[in-house]
Amino acid sequence: MDFRRIDKNTVQCRMTEEEMNEFGLNIEDFFTDQEKSRDFLEQIVEMAEEEVGYEVESGMVSMQLMRMPDNSLTITFTDRGEDGLHNMLHQIQHLAGMIDDSTAEEIVDGLQQELEKEQNNRCGKAIHKEASEGESKHADAKDNKTQQKEYQKHMREIEKLQREKEKRKLNSAKVYEFQDFADLEQFAADYISTKNISSRVYRDKMAGKYYLLVKKGKLKMEEYQVLCQRLSDYGSICSEQPYVEQYCKEHFECLISKHALRVMREYY
């Protein structure tokens, strides 16, 4: 993936069709599978922070998706606060040729409902604040109790975000270092799996070392954890940061670009 800073609030990410497939995604998933696309886009934003120092200040990011002639996907995301949801509605309404009309209408209706709900919540808070002025100490105590509940809710939300971040870390791509290519071949021969594992082999020409990049892809979490545990017996993990894949592409020579473990096992 290639990240490019447009301005202070805007970053553009270009990803190929192959890279989308490695994440188990296609363009339709961005509009029909909310959970999958949200998790992926959150990873993209985190990767942008590592790659180009992008920071979300308002908490609302608008996304623009464009399919390129070579079937690659350009994702432009902007931190625009309250305008974010409006921009998302506007963008989806103009995604001609990418999704069918009925799907687009469902998405727009859902986002409009979210926008109306947010506006109603703000109005309700404003009315509550106005009505609270001049109330008695009893009312103040009630407000304190409400604030305490809101604080507890806020802490639960923080815990949820931390759990989600930990989940993303467990799902993230990992790179293992091997001193000798024979050790890597031996692992490929010993590890038997009926599923295609998203993996690549890189070589550091200067240091003479080899690196295996693996992704969870369509593996179950338990299967991915077993794979990583077995890899630790043959090599040593050197990174599981969000930007590790881009780093490998820029600094190392790619020897096997797709399904590396299967290719080596067949060769071995």
Side-chain angles (χ1 to χ4, degrees), residues 14 26 29-31 39 41-42 71 84 90 95 106 109 130 141 148 160 169 187 235-236 250:
R14 178 82 173 267
N26 53 53
D29 288 332
F30 287 96
F31 311 102
D39 290 344
L41 292 173
E42 286 178 354
N71 284 331
H90 177 76
L95 287 173
E106 291 178 3
D109 290 342
E130 182 178 352
Q148 184 177 4
K160 180 181 178 181
K169 183 178 179 181
F187 172 78
S236 58
E250 293 178 357

Side-chain angles (χ1 to χ4, degrees), residues 67-103:
R67 175 186 279 165
M68 308 305 290
D70 60 353
N71 284 331
S72 63
L73 183 67
T74 297
I75 306 173
T76 304
F77 44 97
T78 306
D79 180 12
R80 289 181 178 170
E82 297 179 359
D83 295 333
L85 194 52
H86 291 285
N87 291 336
M88 292 169 69
L89 290 172
H90 177 76
Q91 174 66 15
I92 291 175
Q93 288 170 333
H94 291 78
L95 287 173
M98 292 180 67
I99 55 177
D100 56 82
D101 293 340
S102 61
T103 303

Side-chain angles (χ1 to χ4, degrees), residues 163-205:
R163 289 194 300 270
E164 291 176 349
K165 186 174 183 180
E166 183 64 25
K167 180 180 178 181
R168 289 195 297 272
K169 183 178 179 181
L170 292 173
N171 282 277
S172 66
K174 296 176 176 59
V175 172
Y176 290 82
E177 179 183 292
F178 293 81
Q179 299 295 329
D180 192 288
F181 191 74
D183 295 334
L184 185 51
E185 285 184 313
Q186 187 63 52
F187 172 78
D190 293 343
Y191 184 79
I192 305 300
S193 175
T194 58
K195 295 183 178 180
N196 284 329
I197 298 172
S198 180
S199 53
R200 294 179 182 175
V201 172
Y202 292 91
R203 179 177 65 178
D204 183 351
K205 293 182 179 180

Side-chain angles (χ1 to χ4, degrees), residues 15-23 25 70-73:
M15 64 185 304
T16 64
E17 185 178 17
E18 181 185 20
E19 288 172 332
M20 277 189 286
N21 293 335
E22 289 178 354
F23 277 95
L25 289 167
D70 60 353
N71 284 331
S72 63
L73 183 67

